[in-house]
Amino acid sequence: MPPNRRLSWTLPAVLIAVGCGDAPATPAVTRSGPDPWAAALRVATAVDRNPDPRVVEIDLEARFGEWEYAPGRRVRAMTYNGSVPGPTIEARAGDTVVVHFTNRLDQPTTIHWHGVRVPAAMDGSPHSQPPVAPGASFEYRFTVPDAGTFWYHPHVAESVQMERGLYGAIVVRGDREPRADVEGVLVLDDLLLGADGQIAPTGDLVEQHNGREGTVPLVNGRAGAELPIRAGQRQRWRLVNAGSARFYRLALPGHRFTVVGTDGGPVETPRASDELLLVPGDRLDVLVDGTGAPGSTPVLQVLPYARGHGAGLTEAVDLLRLRYAADPALPALDPPAAGARIEPLATDGVTPRTVTFDEHIDRDAERVVFTINDRSYPDVPDIVTRVGATEVWDLVNASEMEHPFHLHGFFFQVVSRNGLPEGQRSWEDTIQLRGEERVRIAFRPDARPGHWMYHCHILEHVEHGMMATLRVEP
Ligand code: C2O
Ligand code: CU
């Protein structure tokens, strides 16, 4: 950004303020603009029916519904409270969240609170609760200890239920949030439609192996939506990748992203970048400064990404068009301040465990088999540890295909990739694990004993065995 740009826009404002008395009254600068967050991209906030400001109590129903992913285009879907994404759950760090959940589907389901440090009994995984039967209810109750961007989704028949629309965002705010003029969630997904225009049924062996990638890119459940922005404005995007298998490598020509948060909340040092990568299950919290010209319409793109075995996008795809208002640019804001300090975990003397991810095709049975340490869920032996013990895991991908790794319950730090120390410390629950890569992670389970899943977040891979259990004893 040219150094004189700030001056050129702040100066006239000052002159107007002290200008002659008969000058027309200038409206106060509304940095948020007339339409702070595009109507087409707006996601309802879950209705909090508890008067206690520190308790967020909501009703959530999984039910069939119509999903209008573009004007006039509807598919039969599974929804939370009738919409895709489901309502955004908004809370402050430390709040108690109570969810009265009812299953109105014709099949069992659960809700997993991806990234939220819930007690094991509230985790919604196959180990923490029997699935909620059709017609039955379950009360989820937990506190949200960390500020950040999280999400919720079922942990039963994932490739069917999530693909059909069961997912929603969770926004937890802390005391020190980076300044932005507007903010919103951008939940990324895609749809694969059949010849009848409805969501395609489960596919062939190739889909089972590669994971489903749709042909209709979606932001907040909508295709072809536009996001209004104003020159000079700072927007905060809370990005969530809710897709089954799509890796979102994002770029916005003429703009840079400033990453202020990852899975586990604020980063230590905000960092500017031309590109972002969100693997399935991943979140990134970014600031986007409106460096475009008034009236321009830049497009957020998904760039090609090869993730092994020919899977992944081969050509860039348009994801979201931004529309700059004609208004003159607002004065730019200062760069964001540093985030929270992240202490490195001391790992001296800890013997690393090796966790190997692999896959093969069982030709006789005509199925793909995904393994962790050569076994498939539910036959993978548990890893057993205890509260407070430092864990160091070497995640080894023995296959050519990438397998985004997700750990329930605890945030971890990436120590190194293929032996090279990771540049920036951050707290993560979902990371990229490239083909043939070895990633060392470290974490220390806090006082929430129980069974915690870890798995690849490509939904078809979970269902074909690439999942296992970490058992944390008191
Ligand atoms: Cu979003 Cu078990 O994961
Ligand atoms: Cu995988």
Side-chain angles (χ1 to χ4, degrees), residues 112 114 151 153 155 406 408 453 455 457:
H112 168 57
H114 185 131
W151 63 299
H153 63 73
H155 228 302
H406 171 47
H408 285 210
M453 318 304 304
H455 59 86
H457 217 286

